Amino acid sequence: MNGYIVRQPIKDVEDNVVGYEILYDNGHEALARQGVSDYAAADAIYNFLNDNSDKLVRDTISFMTFTPTLLFKNTPKLFDQRHLVVQIEDDVVVHPMATRIVQRCQSEGYRIAINDFQFNTRYFSMMDYVDFIKLDVANNTESWLSNIVEMAHSMHKQCIATGIKDQGMYDMAHRVGADYFQGSYVAERVKTKVHKANYLQSNFFQLVVEVTKDEPDIDEIENLIARDASLTYALLRMANSVYYAARRHASSVRQALVTVGLGQLKQWVYLMSCTQQGEDLKESEEFLRLSFLRANFCAELAGHSTMLDISKSEAYLLGMFSTLPYLIDAPLEESLSEIPLSDSVKNALLKHEGVSGVLYDLVLSYEKADWAEMTELAKKIQIPTEVLTTVYFNCVDMVNTIWDSLNTNHALEEVK
């Protein structure tokens, strides 16, 4: 499939992620809007979903747009109805079989969302089967949005404001009473900056267990720390502090572990276990998870380019530290000055410069589903565009698997 698939977060009024929309594109023309006659496009999507359904909707609710052709192929059945919202657009609403199609999905237990809701009879005729109404904030007036939200709430439907690109649009969506929010601004928004470096509690618990073993596994310790931006940053900072100044600079987790040694590492872990506070964990966990995904995405993409001036491990740190502004209450330039990253990585993070900056921008444009920009950036550093989606969702799958494992292990320990 020569196209892209990406997830865009949907958040509630408290800035918590409640789900993701699965966006897909082929040749920079959204497949969801190509019309019912494009069976080749529908087949391409169907085949991709059939091969990757377990990677797309594992960890939370996913909103996915289906063309009439995909619905006739009963494509939603590839997914667990508990985790999928079937999203329809005008090409389904105007279809003569629309009501029957939507009724079938609803009877099978799927929730239904209408994208870019319009004020006309065709859309209102679907309201008995719809759970969510998605409203385009960028292309409608505040008074129109307010009227639709009021009407939807009177019918016990929830509203998702989409296309939010800046603070003004976000504020308007709040004023009209939207229940959920989506867009490039929402994806990057954080309610409050975390006042201290927080780390993922379940991951940290496993680290505590590992370092207290009679024979700690250094590879497992490295893996546990490398999953977490805050732990990675804190360890590198300690390893390059004045106390260790006589030794060589550590620019990777493994080098930092060798520099610090297991004895000092245990003391560091014990100290962090005493100082960690739980009040910011929920907010910071979203960005810890995002940093882990970006780290792996950057590293894997780096393996497909011969133009980069950084190693795969440096590309990993590029993605890992991209969320530091959300996790540490200090300017990014100040934070990065305390660890010996290469100039290429620092310039990429701070100024979006150089070929590493292109890699960083490629990852950001993929997250925003900016199809044209990601294609241009991939070509600049000679990454084949056809590998982007596969690499991205392999990374998503890996992150989901690890997060599930962390949460399961932590829950089991709490039961004990």
Side-chain angles (χ1 to χ4, degrees):
M1 173 184 167
N2 293 322
Y4 305 123
I5 296 183
V6 68
R7 306 189 310 171
Q8 187 173 79
I10 299 172
K11 298 184 179 182
D12 62 16
V13 294
E14 299 295 331
D15 275 337
N16 301 310
V17 175
V18 296
Y20 293 88
E21 179 174 359
I22 307 298
L23 302 170
Y24 44 84
D25 168 270
N26 187 53
H28 323 307
E29 182 179 358
L31 286 173
R33 294 180 172 85
Q34 285 187 353
V36 297
S37 63
D38 197 344
Y39 286 94
D43 280 338
I45 284 292
Y46 179 86
N47 292 332
F48 182 87
L49 297 180
N50 191 46
D51 293 337
N52 296 276
S53 60
D54 59 325
K55 299 178 182 179
L56 292 174
V57 294
R58 285 182 47 189
D59 57 336
T60 185
I61 299 172
S62 291
F63 290 70
M64 191 181 303
T65 299
F66 292 88
T67 64
T69 305
L70 290 174
L71 290 174
F72 285 137
K73 292 168 73 73
N74 211 16
T75 309
K77 291 289 286 183
L78 295 172
F79 306 95
D80 188 327
Q81 63 267 32
R82 294 171 300 175
H83 302 303
L84 178 69
V85 176
V86 175
Q87 192 164 278
I88 59 174
E89 295 190 332
D90 194 63
D91 56 357
V92 174
V93 175
V94 301
H95 197 280
M97 298 291 289
T99 301
R100 183 175 177 182
I101 293 172
V102 174
Q103 280 181 328
R104 184 182 68 184
C105 290
Q106 186 193 53
S107 68
E108 292 171 346
Y110 294 96
R111 284 167 288 181
I112 310 296
I114 292 185
N115 198 29
D116 196 14
F117 184 84
Q118 303 296 314
F119 199 94
N120 62 49
T121 304
R122 296 195 311 271
Y123 282 81
F124 282 106
S125 67
M126 308 292 290
M127 292 297 284
D128 287 342
Y129 315 109
V130 169
D131 301 278
F132 302 94
I133 292 176
K134 302 190 78 173
L135 305 172
D136 187 350
V137 172
N139 295 314
N140 291 291
T141 65
E142 183 169 346
S143 61
W144 185 91
L145 292 168
S146 181
N147 289 335
I148 296 297
V149 170
E150 184 177 355
M151 176 275 299
H153 285 168
S154 71
M155 302 177 71
H156 308 291
K157 313 299 179 184
Q158 294 183 300
C159 295
I160 304 173
T162 67
I164 299 175
K165 300 177 181 178
D166 54 40
Q167 182 69 45
M169 291 183 180
Y170 184 79
D171 292 340
M172 182 171 70
H174 266 275
R175 287 196 301 271
V176 302
D179 302 287
Y180 305 107
F181 310 87
Q182 181 184 353
S184 57
Y185 177 79
V186 176
E188 298 174 353
R189 175 183 167 81
V190 60
K191 181 171 58 178
T192 56
K193 181 175 286 189
V194 180
H195 296 300
K196 57 187 288 294
N198 277 306
Y199 43 84
L200 182 63
Q201 192 172 33
S202 52
N203 190 68
F204 181 74
F205 174 79
Q206 291 195 26
L207 178 61
V208 172
V209 171
E210 190 60 45
V211 299
T212 55
K213 290 181 178 179
D214 291 337
E215 296 183 7
D217 185 336
I218 194 68
D219 291 328
E220 179 63 15
I221 291 173
E222 179 183 9
N223 289 335
L224 289 168
I225 293 175
R227 295 171 186 169
D228 190 317
S230 295
L231 286 176
T232 300
Y233 173 76
L235 178 62
L236 286 174
R237 183 180 177 184
M238 179 179 67
N240 291 284
S241 65
V242 175
Y243 181 81
Y244 297 99
R247 310 184 190 184
R248 66 187 179 94
H249 288 306
S251 57
S252 69
V253 173
R254 174 61 67 126
Q255 290 175 0
L257 290 174
V258 172
T259 299
V260 172
L262 281 174
Q264 290 292 331
L265 178 68
K266 289 180 180 180
Q267 295 183 23
W268 174 69
V269 170
Y270 294 152
L271 177 63
M272 295 191 75
S273 67
C274 295
T275 59
Q276 172 75 344
Q277 299 175 6
E279 59 186 19
D280 293 321
L281 283 176
K282 189 173 182 180
E283 293 175 20
S284 61
E285 182 172 337
E286 175 187 343
F287 292 99
L288 290 171
R289 183 168 181 161
L290 176 61
S291 66
F292 188 38
L293 175 57
R294 285 182 179 176
N296 285 279
F297 195 28
C298 281
E300 292 304 312
L301 289 180
H304 290 276
S305 173
T306 59
M307 294 186 62
L308 293 177
D309 55 353
I310 57 174
S311 65
K312 196 170 181 178
S313 61
E314 288 176 313
Y316 185 94
L317 292 179
L318 170 64
M320 176 65 72
F321 289 146
S322 65
T323 62
L324 280 184
Y326 302 112
L327 296 169
I328 296 176
D329 191 19
L332 180 58
E333 185 171 9
E334 178 183 324
S335 299
L336 296 181
S337 68
E338 302 186 41
I339 50 179
L341 294 176
S342 68
D343 289 339
S344 295
V345 173
K346 288 184 179 180
N347 288 336
L349 287 169
L350 295 172
K351 305 174 184 177
H352 297 259
E353 291 182 348
V355 289
S356 299
V358 175
L359 174 64
Y360 181 35
D361 288 338
L362 171 59
V363 170
L364 296 181
S365 67
Y366 199 98
E367 291 176 358
K368 296 175 183 177
D370 190 334
W371 316 120
E373 182 180 10
M374 71 175 75
T375 299
E376 180 181 350
L377 293 172
K379 289 179 178 178
K380 279 186 177 180
I381 50 177
Q382 298 182 1
I383 293 179
T385 56
E386 62 268 19
V387 308
L388 293 177
T389 289
T390 300
V391 170
Y392 177 76
F393 275 99
N394 283 341
C395 292
V396 168
D397 188 44
M398 185 269 293
V399 171
N400 287 342
T401 299
I402 290 176
W403 242 252
D404 289 345
S405 173
L406 292 174
N407 292 331
T408 299
N409 291 338
H410 188 55
L412 288 174
E413 188 61 31
E414 287 183 341
V415 171
K416 293 179 182 179

